[in-house]
Amino acid sequence: MAAHRSGPLKQQNKAHKGGRHRGRGSAQRDGKGLKILSKKVRKELSKVDQRHRASQLRKQKKEAVLAEKRQLGSKDGPPHQVLVVPLHDKISLPEAFRLLQDTDTGTVHLNECGSTHSFMLLCPRLKHRWFFTSARPGDLHTVLDMAKVADTILFLLDPLEGWDSIGDYCLSCLFAQGLPTYTLAVQGISGLPPRKQIDARKKLSKTVEKRFPSDKLLLLDTQQEAEMLLRQLANQKQRHLAFRDRRAYLFAHAADFVPSEENNLVGTLKISGYVRGQTLNVNSLLHIIGQGDFQMKQIDAPMDPFPLNFRMIKSQKEDPGVTMEICAMDAVADMEEDLKVVMKADPDKQESLQTEVNLDPMEGEQTWPTEEELSEANDFLKESSKVVKKVPKGTSSYQAEWILDEDGESDGEDEYDDMQREDFIEEESQDEGSEKEEEEEYETMTMGESVHDDLYDENVDDEAEEKMLEKYKQERLQEMFPDEIDTPRDVAARIRFQKYRGLKSFRTSPWDPKENLPRDYARIFQFQNFTNTRKRIFKEIEEKEVEGAEVGWYVTLHVSEVPLSVVEYFKRGAPLIAFSLLPHEQKMSVLNMVVSRHPGNIEPVKAKEDLIFHCGFRRFRASPLFSQHTAADKHKFQRFLTADVALVVTIYGPITFPPASVLLFKQNSNGMHSLIATGYLLSVDPDRMVIKRIVLSGHPFKIFTKMAVVRYMFFSREDVLWFKPVELRTKWGRRGHIKEPLGTHGHMKCSFDGKLKSQDTVLMNLYKRVFPKWTYDPYVPDPVPWMKSEISLAVPEVDME
């Protein structure tokens, strides 16, 4: 019997596509006989080898953590620096220091004789040494600066409330900057009745969970509890701050100023302290927080004044078994004898202090012509100026100049002087002056007279109140009518908005980032590829061995050309903290930072206001621009710092390689600094374009099917013709164009893609690129310390209803 054969109309099904969903066997069959050159071959290990490799990695990480613990506070490493921060005004800082200065635990060295501001604790039994410092939460900049170099922060809590409003405000700033290792200790819980102690600890644990979800509370009321706290500090796993792990930094234990021979106000500053972070090279630059960048002459390595195994000196007044040294004067004397120079600066390798590009105003101009070019130009003028005329015989050249041509005109060239002057009005003042102010309705209430009314009015600044009211009105208008302004009637719109342009699409329309740059852009530096430069520098830090002072050494830095005000600032009790700079970090460029508004700040913050920045290890003043945080090539300018979304802050500032935290403060009229925003450093990119938008509005006067007569957008026929190519849109989504002007009062005929509504508004978007102001100042004056009443006024009340 013959077999059945399918005909030409048989159904043909698609073959199964394996693709990325192929099995392992299919992939092996396809790749059989092929030699694959790839690093992914390492994945083809047996299960035993995989377990062995995982155990090795775990062991290496564990050994690295243990080595870091052993080095910190040991005889070969720097002392364990602990910053003590009391978070409540009821906490007694001297009492806490008295418990920590236990002579049975170790030997105490006070930095200042009779002072408890800071001290060194040496404990040979625990093979550890601590350096305790303190700062009050009201002195906010001091707390933030000392937290940048502290290994551990010890927070002291109240047994009933935990922390007050100032302490909570300080915690917000520290969390935004980045917390190192921290420990929580409660002081005064033993003073409560025994029945209330358990309830107090339960309530305090619930309060602390809001900020510290999984941290234990330690007690600090007795000597035994203080010793347990020290053991906890010594055995804690260290948390890292990225901006300081790649740089060498130093907390000054002593400072000496040697004035120069030429000027007594400038000289050499000798800073003594322990090197931390990375190896310190004398050829790199040194940044002193709040003061600026400086060069180093040399690095000395004197004897360590606080060795862990020191010669015990017994005091006659104390018990024979108790040893305590109040001042390390003998160590300082020995330090001068055993002075050793580690490294001197090499002028050929030393980093330059140049922060800006040397601007040549004639660089972009035409060069002066050579003598040959001048002679060729004169010959050409002589030949072109010769004119052939018919003159009577015997006429001289002078007489021929007065003979007219047949058309009755002279051959001399007429000179025209078309000097036109245009009055350029400042853009920002026009934007503010042209916006309409809406009248607000106020509710009147009858209240009883207060005795303190007169005293309250004495503290009110009428001028500051008027400025703040004006800011509130402008912010409200910006929220209701984004970017809308009124066309001025005293100045032509084509003159007033001559720097603006129209765009078909804000997202896709091209805009050259090198077009019409301001003069300040000639002063800054720009990377060809900032990301690659950052990776290369960080890789050199990890792999390349740097010559200089190693981590843990006690050194003396000779910093040159330092003003006398730096030493006076240190003598007033402020901390002197120095960071070494990476290559290019002293140069100026354009910094972009992503920030979010702090919920405790409710006052309007306008762009280009003078603000105080904490960016990584730096502290400075600048006037920023605000813009939207998007992935496009153009970013819309924001007039105010909004509270709902994250914005990008753009300033002129010194180059800093991220990651780095950012805090923004604003100086109030009373001298205090309030936190307004927190974030991080995004990039160093002068090509990031911030585009300002303005919206001109008009109203439909006569409406037809797809045509309409619009008025009040312009007030002259010439302005309508000038802006005719720009596309129009309406608030209800219609799009159109200007067809032609009507009359001389600014009326215009427009066509749209649909019929307009009578209540609709016709809009025109205009754009221009804006740049920040050059107001960078590395010196930030000391603010007025925060008071409890000021914090309560700054934090908004939440209506639970």
Side-chain angles (χ1 to χ4, degrees):
M1 185 176 178
H4 175 71
R5 295 182 180 181
S6 59
L9 301 178
K10 183 180 181 298
Q11 178 180 348
Q12 298 290 336
N13 295 329
K14 288 184 178 180
H16 176 68
K17 294 182 179 179
R20 59 177 181 174
H21 300 291
R22 291 189 302 171
R24 186 173 59 182
S26 176
Q28 289 177 354
R29 285 192 299 271
D30 292 346
K32 191 174 183 180
L34 297 178
K35 187 177 181 181
I36 301 175
L37 299 176
S38 174
K39 294 182 180 179
K40 295 183 180 180
V41 180
R42 292 180 301 176
K43 294 183 179 180
E44 299 178 1
L45 297 175
S46 63
K47 291 185 178 180
V48 178
D49 294 339
Q50 289 177 6
R51 294 194 198 100
H52 182 60
R53 185 180 62 177
S55 64
Q56 284 181 331
L57 293 175
R58 285 196 303 268
K59 187 177 180 180
Q60 290 176 2
K61 291 180 180 179
K62 188 175 181 180
E63 289 177 354
V65 172
L66 291 175
E68 185 181 7
K69 282 184 181 180
R70 291 171 186 147
Q71 185 183 16
L72 184 62
S74 64
K75 62 177 181 178
D76 298 327
H80 192 150
Q81 186 163 340
V82 181
L83 173 62
V84 183
V85 180
L87 296 178
H88 202 281
D89 56 356
K90 295 181 181 178
I91 293 174
S92 175
L93 191 60
E95 178 64 20
F97 272 20
R98 185 189 64 81
L99 293 173
L100 294 172
Q101 294 172 1
D102 185 14
T103 55
D104 295 334
T105 305
T107 306
V108 177
H109 296 269
L110 300 181
N111 266 15
E112 298 176 2
C113 296
S115 173
T116 58
H117 183 69
S118 61
F119 66 92
M120 186 79 69
L121 177 62
L122 308 177
C123 183
R125 180 162 55 88
L126 298 176
K127 298 180 181 180
H128 211 83
R129 53 179 177 172
W130 291 272
F131 178 62
F132 286 90
T133 59
S134 63
R136 286 285 177 183
D139 194 359
L140 196 56
H141 289 310
T142 302
V143 174
L144 293 176
D145 290 344
M146 297 185 72
K148 293 173 184 176
V149 296
D151 298 313
T152 303
I153 300 180
L154 176 59
F155 293 113
L156 299 181
L157 308 178
D158 183 70
L160 298 178
E161 300 179 4
W163 50 71
D164 54 11
S165 57
I166 302 179
D168 185 68
Y169 184 70
C170 179
L171 284 176
S172 300
C173 298
L174 287 173
F175 271 100
Q177 179 176 269
L179 269 181
T181 308
Y182 60 88
T183 303
L184 306 177
V186 185
Q187 185 190 61
I189 200 168
S190 61
L192 300 175
R195 295 181 179 178
K196 293 184 178 181
Q197 290 184 8
I198 299 177
D199 296 337
R201 295 186 68 170
K202 288 182 179 179
K203 292 181 180 178
L204 185 59
S205 298
K206 291 183 179 180
T207 304
V208 170
E209 281 181 357
K210 299 176 183 179
R211 290 279 190 181
F212 310 97
S214 59
D215 292 296
K216 295 182 180 179
L217 296 176
L218 301 177
L219 302 180
L220 186 58
D221 290 326
T222 61
Q223 296 287 355
Q224 185 179 2
E225 293 170 350
E227 187 173 352
M228 291 179 62
L229 178 61
L230 291 176
R231 289 182 180 274
Q232 171 69 14
L233 294 175
N235 297 325
Q236 255 184 329
K237 181 181 178 181
Q238 293 298 310
R239 301 175 65 181
H240 296 275
L241 295 180
F243 69 86
R244 74 180 186 185
D245 286 344
R246 295 185 177 93
R247 300 171 177 87
Y249 58 96
L250 179 141
F251 181 86
H253 290 260
D256 186 21
F257 182 76
V258 180
S260 62
E261 298 178 357
E262 300 176 355
N263 188 1
N264 293 331
L265 300 178
V266 179
T268 301
L269 179 64
K270 297 180 180 180
I271 306 174
S272 299
Y274 293 92
V275 179
R276 302 171 184 269
Q278 296 288 335
T279 303
L280 180 59
N281 192 308
V282 72
N283 293 320
S284 61
L285 297 180
L286 199 69
H287 175 78
I288 300 178
I289 294 182
Q291 305 297 330
D293 304 334
F294 305 95
Q295 288 180 332
M296 291 181 284
K297 290 182 179 179
Q298 69 180 41
I299 300 178
D300 299 338
M303 190 186 71
D304 192 344
F306 309 108
L308 191 57
N309 300 320
F310 59 94
R311 181 169 47 91
M312 308 290 276
I313 302 176
K314 295 186 178 181
S315 176
Q316 298 178 357
K317 297 182 181 180
E318 303 292 338
D319 296 335
V322 177
T323 59
M324 182 175 181
E325 293 186 3
I326 302 301
C327 297
M329 300 302 295
D330 296 337
V332 174
D334 295 338
M335 181 177 63
E336 296 178 356
E337 296 177 1
D338 300 338
L339 192 64
K340 183 179 68 173
V341 178
V342 177
M343 194 176 182
K344 288 190 176 181
D346 186 359
D348 297 333
K349 298 180 180 180
Q350 195 170 26
E351 290 282 346
S352 172
L353 282 173
Q354 181 184 3
T355 60
E356 304 174 14
V357 179
N358 295 325
L359 181 60
D360 185 6
M362 300 297 294
E363 185 177 359
E365 299 295 330
Q366 184 181 0
T367 56
W368 188 258
T370 61
E371 294 182 359
E372 296 179 358
E373 293 174 344
L374 290 174
S375 61
E376 290 178 1
N378 291 331
D379 296 340
F380 177 75
L381 289 175
K382 289 179 180 178
E383 292 178 359
S384 60
S385 61
K386 293 180 180 180
V387 179
V388 179
K389 290 184 178 181
K390 290 183 180 181
V391 296
K393 292 183 178 181
T395 306
S396 63
S397 60
Y398 175 75
Q399 292 173 341
E401 292 290 337
W402 292 93
I403 296 177
L404 300 177
D405 293 337
E406 293 180 357
D407 56 357
E409 294 183 357
S410 170
D411 65 323
E413 296 182 356
D414 295 334
E415 297 180 357
Y416 298 94
D417 186 10
D418 298 333
M419 300 297 291
Q420 299 178 355
R421 298 195 177 188
E422 298 179 354
D423 297 329
F424 296 97
I425 302 174
E426 187 69 19
E427 174 196 349
E428 295 298 330
S429 61
Q430 282 290 338
D431 287 347
E432 296 174 2
S434 61
E435 295 181 1
K436 290 184 178 181
E437 299 179 0
E438 292 189 353
E439 298 181 358
E440 298 182 1
E441 297 181 359
Y442 296 93
E443 182 181 2
T444 58
M445 298 179 63
T446 305
M447 302 181 64
E449 295 183 358
S450 175
V451 182
H452 302 285
D453 281 350
D454 296 337
L455 299 177
Y456 183 80
D457 291 339
E458 291 178 358
N459 299 326
V460 175
D461 188 357
D462 295 335
E463 185 177 354
E465 289 287 321
E466 289 293 331
K467 290 182 179 179
M468 188 58 63
L469 178 61
E470 186 65 25
K471 280 187 180 180
Y472 275 113
K473 288 183 178 180
Q474 292 180 7
E475 186 180 30
R476 187 177 177 185
L477 282 173
Q478 177 65 20
E479 292 177 358
M480 297 173 62
F481 307 100
D483 302 327
E484 287 192 33
I485 65 172
D486 290 335
T487 307
R489 305 194 64 173
D490 54 345
V491 181
R494 62 186 183 279
I495 301 298
R496 170 63 185 84
F497 305 120
Q498 60 185 343
K499 294 183 180 180
Y500 290 83
R501 68 181 71 176
L503 295 178
K504 178 70 176 177
S505 171
F506 182 79
R507 184 179 62 87
T508 60
S509 296
W511 196 309
D512 186 7
K514 304 296 184 184
E515 175 187 354
N516 293 332
L517 297 178
R519 191 176 184 85
D520 289 334
Y521 263 53
R523 303 166 59 184
I524 63 174
F525 291 85
Q526 182 178 4
F527 294 98
Q528 187 173 5
N529 192 322
F530 175 74
T531 304
N532 289 350
T533 304
R534 173 178 168 270
K535 289 181 179 179
R536 177 181 58 81
I537 292 176
F538 286 177
K539 188 176 181 180
E540 290 178 357
I541 293 173
E542 296 175 357
E543 299 178 356
K544 190 176 179 181
E545 293 184 1
V546 181
E547 183 182 0
E550 299 290 338
V551 177
W553 289 7
Y554 186 84
V555 297
T556 299
L557 309 180
H558 295 251
V559 188
S560 58
E561 301 297 327
V562 180
L564 183 61
S565 59
V566 178
V567 186
E568 295 176 351
Y569 179 75
F570 177 68
K571 289 182 179 179
R572 289 198 302 266
L576 187 60
I577 300 169
F579 274 82
S580 68
L581 297 182
L582 299 179
H584 312 296
E585 283 196 330
Q586 78 279 11
K587 300 173 182 177
M588 298 291 290
S589 187
V590 178
L591 273 63
N592 302 305
M593 312 168 185
V594 179
V595 299
S596 299
R597 187 162 177 174
H598 188 257
N601 182 268
I602 58 176
E603 294 183 0
V605 180
K606 198 174 181 181
K608 298 184 181 180
E609 283 191 21
D610 191 19
L611 301 178
I612 298 166
F613 286 76
H614 277 258
C615 180
F617 58 90
R618 294 183 186 270
R619 186 174 77 238
F620 54 87
R621 305 174 72 98
S623 300
L625 291 180
F626 302 137
S627 60
Q628 292 179 351
H629 183 33
T630 59
D633 61 339
K634 296 182 288 295
H635 311 273
K636 183 176 168 297
F637 170 75
Q638 296 289 328
R639 288 176 170 82
F640 290 90
L641 181 63
T642 56
D644 51 349
V645 294
L647 298 179
V648 175
V649 169
T650 303
I651 59 169
Y652 289 115
I655 294 170
T656 305
F657 291 103
S661 58
V662 174
L663 283 79
L664 271 66
F665 293 87
K666 181 180 177 181
Q667 185 169 354
N668 301 331
S669 57
N670 55 6
M672 298 181 181
H673 294 172
S674 58
L675 179 66
I676 62 171
T678 59
Y680 60 92
L681 179 61
L682 178 63
S683 64
V684 180
D685 185 13
D687 286 342
R688 187 181 186 274
M689 293 185 291
V690 180
I691 308 299
K692 182 178 181 180
R693 183 186 73 172
I694 61 171
V695 179
L696 304 181
S697 60
H699 301 275
F701 178 52
K702 295 180 181 179
I703 300 175
F704 303 98
T705 305
K706 286 191 177 182
M707 301 287 290
V709 177
V710 181
R711 60 179 178 177
Y712 302 148
M713 182 177 289
F714 302 107
F715 298 99
S716 67
R717 184 184 183 89
E718 291 77 11
D719 289 342
V720 175
L721 294 173
W722 180 269
F723 289 100
K724 184 179 178 181
V726 184
E727 187 181 19
L728 300 176
R729 67 178 181 90
T730 69
K731 288 190 175 181
W732 285 31
R734 297 297 181 189
R735 290 184 175 274
H737 290 279
I738 300 175
K739 297 293 289 183
E740 59 180 353
L742 299 176
T744 60
H745 291 77
H747 292 208
M748 54 188 182
K749 184 190 294 184
C750 305
S751 64
F752 294 92
D753 57 357
K755 189 174 182 179
L756 297 186
K757 301 292 184 181
S758 59
Q759 63 269 31
D760 204 350
T761 305
V762 181
L763 305 175
M764 176 183 287
N765 295 338
L766 299 176
Y767 304 91
K768 81 161 187 174
R769 187 178 178 184
V770 291
F771 302 90
K773 290 183 178 180
W774 192 293
T775 58
Y776 172 77
D777 184 10
Y779 176 71
V780 179
D782 295 334
V784 177
W786 273 102
M787 303 300 291
K788 198 169 183 179
S789 59
E790 297 289 340
I791 291 288
S792 60
L793 290 175
V795 178
E797 297 181 358
V798 180
D799 189 3
M800 301 303 294
E801 297 178 1

